[in-house]
Amino acid sequence: MIPDFIEILKTIFLGIVEGITEWLPISSTGHMLLVDEFLQLNASDSFKEMFFIVIQLGAILAVVVLFWGKMFPFQFRDKTKPVIKKETFSIWFKVVVACIPGAVVTLLFDDYIEAHLHTPAVIAVALIFYGIAFILVENWNKKRIPKVKDISEISYTTALVIGLFQVLSIIPGTSRSGATIIGALIIGVSRVAAAEFTFFLAVPVMFGLSAIKLFKFGLAFAAPELITLLIGMAVAFIVSLLVIKFLMGYIKKHDFKVFGWYRVLLGIIVLLYFAFV
């Protein structure tokens, strides 16, 4: 049994939304929850709670594919002698350090956040607040020269501070990539290095969150549920490939203020809509 045509179209649309918003600092989970207010999947609440997280694995696989050369810590010069890339291992150790604060907070407060803060009002306020933050930080950065220009220059202390900023993303509407990028920019990391470190950080974070959600949901998928999840992940993967390439080219010549203004505008629209509906 497969989902009906309308449900497949909804899933494809959600996959497109996820693929676009996962890497742009505008909150993928916030957008997914807002879309679900208007375009609801015909599925149980427990499935949708899992789906909105696990669909992000498709986006994560896209960044792994595109950055495999930087992320894989071994280089094979021939079939028998792999060479360890110490610089890549160093980055992954720093990623582990950056993951610790978020992992602790998620394990302690994820259920509370799910039950009380997944609301349009919270998402809208977070969109506006961090949109303004992006605009202010980028204006401040005009007169500053980045202290860290390459991802390899990120220290363990810098990684921990970025990880502390990532904790903010537990609030829906904040954006995981947005929180880490804002934190990185504030402490003097260049836009490109901040984005690349965010990509590295996303891999263990999203695999970890997906594992938690799958464990809570269980692996007893009905056929339509499994098909829905796989379609969503596949679409998110394809769209993410395009979005990541766009983002890395964009930030080499532009700042993040346009995303800040977008967040503010969307947040205001959401507040007004739900205030009068």
Side-chain angles (χ1 to χ4, degrees):
M1 181 178 179
I2 63 173
D4 63 41
F5 182 68
I6 297 300
E7 290 302 302
I8 291 175
L9 288 180
K10 290 179 184 178
T11 304
I12 291 173
F13 183 75
L14 287 168
I16 293 171
V17 172
E18 165 58 28
I20 293 173
T21 59
E22 179 63 36
W23 304 112
L24 304 183
I26 54 178
S27 178
S28 61
T29 302
H31 276 76
M32 297 285 278
L33 292 172
L34 289 174
V35 169
D36 188 56
E37 289 285 334
F38 304 97
L39 192 72
Q40 295 191 358
L41 284 175
N42 184 20
S44 66
D45 289 341
S46 60
F47 174 79
K48 288 196 290 186
E49 179 186 329
M50 178 275 298
F51 175 83
F52 290 149
I53 297 298
V54 179
I55 189 178
Q56 296 177 54
L57 283 180
I60 298 305
L61 291 176
V63 84
V64 171
V65 169
L66 290 176
F67 284 83
W68 180 256
K70 285 191 173 184
M71 290 185 169
F72 191 62
F74 300 99
Q75 182 177 0
F76 291 90
R77 292 181 179 173
D78 57 51
K79 294 182 179 180
T80 59
K81 296 182 179 180
V83 177
I84 296 175
K85 295 189 288 185
K86 294 181 180 180
E87 182 179 291
T88 305
F89 263 114
S90 176
I91 294 172
W92 280 117
F93 289 142
K94 293 165 187 173
V95 166
V96 171
V97 170
C99 287
I100 293 172
V104 172
V105 172
T106 298
L107 289 173
L108 291 176
F109 299 107
D110 185 57
D111 289 340
Y112 178 85
I113 297 295
E114 290 278 1
H116 297 90
L117 297 184
H118 278 208
T119 66
V122 171
I123 294 170
V125 171
L127 285 168
I128 294 170
F129 180 84
Y130 289 102
I132 293 172
F134 261 115
I135 295 167
L136 294 177
V137 169
E138 285 290 21
N139 285 338
W140 179 49
N141 267 345
K142 284 182 178 179
K143 300 178 181 179
R144 301 171 70 217
I145 298 175
K147 299 176 183 177
V148 178
K149 296 182 180 180
D150 188 83
I151 189 173
S152 63
E153 299 172 7
I154 291 176
S155 66
Y156 283 95
T157 301
T158 300
L160 179 60
V161 173
I162 293 174
L164 291 172
F165 273 94
Q166 185 184 232
V167 171
L168 300 171
S169 66
I170 195 171
I171 306 298
T174 298
S175 169
R176 181 193 50 76
S177 62
T180 55
I181 288 172
I182 284 178
L185 293 177
I186 289 174
I187 60 178
V189 180
S190 71
R191 295 186 190 97
V192 173
E196 288 187 355
F197 192 73
T198 296
F199 295 156
F200 269 81
L201 194 54
V203 175
V205 168
M206 292 316 306
F207 272 106
L209 285 175
S210 296
I212 291 172
K213 294 300 181 182
L214 285 170
F215 178 77
K216 288 183 178 179
F217 181 76
L219 297 177
F221 288 96
E225 292 175 334
L226 182 59
I227 293 171
T228 296
L229 183 60
L230 293 176
I231 291 174
M233 290 174 61
V235 174
F237 172 78
I238 295 169
V239 175
S240 289
L241 291 174
L242 301 175
V243 172
I244 293 167
K245 289 182 179 180
F246 160 77
L247 179 64
M248 295 310 295
Y250 180 87
I251 61 176
K252 290 177 181 178
K253 299 179 180 179
H254 305 87
D255 58 30
F256 286 102
K257 283 197 292 186
V258 65
F259 303 114
W261 287 114
Y262 169 81
R263 292 177 64 105
V264 171
L265 178 60
L266 178 62
I268 291 172
I269 291 172
V270 171
L271 282 178
L272 292 175
Y273 176 83
F274 286 98
F276 293 102
V277 170

